[in-house]
Amino acid sequence: MSTPHNRAQNGDFAATVLMPGDPLRAKFIADTFLENPRLVTDVRGMLGFTGTYQGRPVSVMGSGMGMPSIGIYSYELYTQYGVENIIRIGSAGSYTEKARLFDVVLATGAYSESSYAMTQSGDPDDIQYPNQELNDALRASAAEQNISLIEGVIHSSDVFYREPSDEKPLYWERLRDEKGCVAVEMESFALFHNAKVLGKRAACLLTISDSFVSPEATTPEQRQTSFTAMMKVALGVKL
């Protein structure tokens, strides 16, 4: 079996897939953490690998940027390849001083202005939720490794570059104060929705890479290779 976006065959993916946005981060995880990793897909340069971690089968595959991209890849993994669990592991911009550079955020919900859920299935909800069992497994993994998590609703945005505005409060301040959003990324709303409509499990861990309340920011190289705490939490999940 293959799809227009994935050349893997039946059985090539484990039941649990870690999904960073960057395919080079997927390669870093496979090379650094997996035992006997093998490349199972590279269509459009979106690398996917399967191996084992502490004896447990696990896969890792890039999702690309934005909801349409992760929407395609996660839908196919769930429906064509028998994947049960997808854990997004991504970067995020902080909306609050409580979430600093390199802190790890566990999403308890994803708010979005996106039309993805409405278009995909007629779902009008502007907050989509992760699977609680999977979130509990991530909490347990973090506790076992003594890695701190910041929990909260995240903002999944369709737009990375917004035109300047003189609105007060600024949009991100409003989302922080009215919706409780602690950080912003661009994919989890679609991932959570796909899992919901397909009866699968999804969760999201994010590492703070930059901030709306601080001038701090990470480099592209750090985004690829330095978010290891988040990676270890996701890899340590036991279901």
Side-chain angles (χ1 to χ4, degrees):
M1 175 197 305
S2 62
T3 76
H5 318 102
N6 196 321
R7 70 171 175 83
Q9 301 300 305
N10 285 338
D12 277 348
F13 281 100
T16 297
V17 177
L18 277 56
M19 205 159 218
D22 185 351
L24 292 181
R25 192 183 304 153
K27 184 178 188 304
F28 172 82
I29 295 167
D31 290 345
T32 305
F33 295 105
L34 298 190
E35 297 114 12
N36 302 312
R38 60 189 180 93
L39 181 71
V40 296
T41 186
D42 56 3
V43 176
R44 296 177 179 236
M46 197 57 67
L47 307 177
F49 302 86
T50 295
T52 59
Y53 181 76
Q54 296 180 350
R56 298 187 301 275
V58 64
S59 297
V60 56
M61 179 181 174
S63 73
M65 292 185 287
M67 286 181 252
S69 187
I70 198 171
I72 290 170
Y73 289 116
S74 63
Y75 194 92
E76 291 183 349
L77 288 174
Y78 283 140
T79 61
Q80 304 300 311
Y81 292 102
V83 171
E84 295 295 327
N85 313 294
I86 295 178
I87 303 171
R88 166 161 157 68
I89 47 174
S91 58
S94 175
Y95 281 169
T96 172
E97 293 179 355
K98 298 176 183 178
R100 307 300 295 269
L101 218 62
F102 294 108
D103 283 348
V104 180
V105 174
L106 175 64
T108 58
Y111 166 81
S112 187
E113 314 93 330
S114 172
S115 62
Y116 182 92
M118 176 63 76
T119 302
Q120 204 276 346
S121 70
D123 184 347
D125 291 342
D126 61 5
I127 297 182
Q128 300 289 318
Y129 294 97
N131 176 266
Q132 291 307 308
E133 181 183 2
L134 194 48
N135 265 17
D136 285 344
L138 288 164
R139 292 183 183 105
S141 173
E144 185 177 337
Q145 300 179 71
N146 198 29
I147 295 173
S148 297
L149 299 178
I150 296 171
E151 299 196 23
V153 174
I154 60 173
H155 175 208
S156 292
S157 178
D158 270 335
V159 178
F160 189 89
Y161 296 108
R162 291 192 185 228
E163 291 304 301
S165 171
D166 58 2
E167 66 174 313
K168 297 295 182 183
L170 296 173
Y171 78 90
W172 63 267
E173 295 173 318
R174 178 169 42 81
L175 290 173
R176 178 194 63 197
D177 298 340
E178 295 180 6
K179 301 294 184 180
C181 296
V182 299
V184 59
E185 50 89 77
M186 302 187 71
E187 290 82 22
S188 295
F189 182 85
L191 173 63
F192 293 172
H193 178 74
N194 277 356
K196 179 171 73 172
V197 298
L198 296 172
K200 302 287 187 172
R201 292 187 289 256
C204 172
L205 287 172
L206 300 167
T207 299
I208 299 300
S209 60
D210 53 87
S211 175
F212 285 71
V213 296
S214 165
E216 299 174 306
T218 55
T219 66
E221 291 78 14
Q222 286 175 318
R223 287 182 172 94
Q224 283 182 25
T225 62
S226 298
F227 294 173
T228 52
M230 167 181 67
M231 298 169 188
K232 290 176 181 176
V233 172
L235 287 164
V237 161
K238 301 178 177 120
L239 292 170

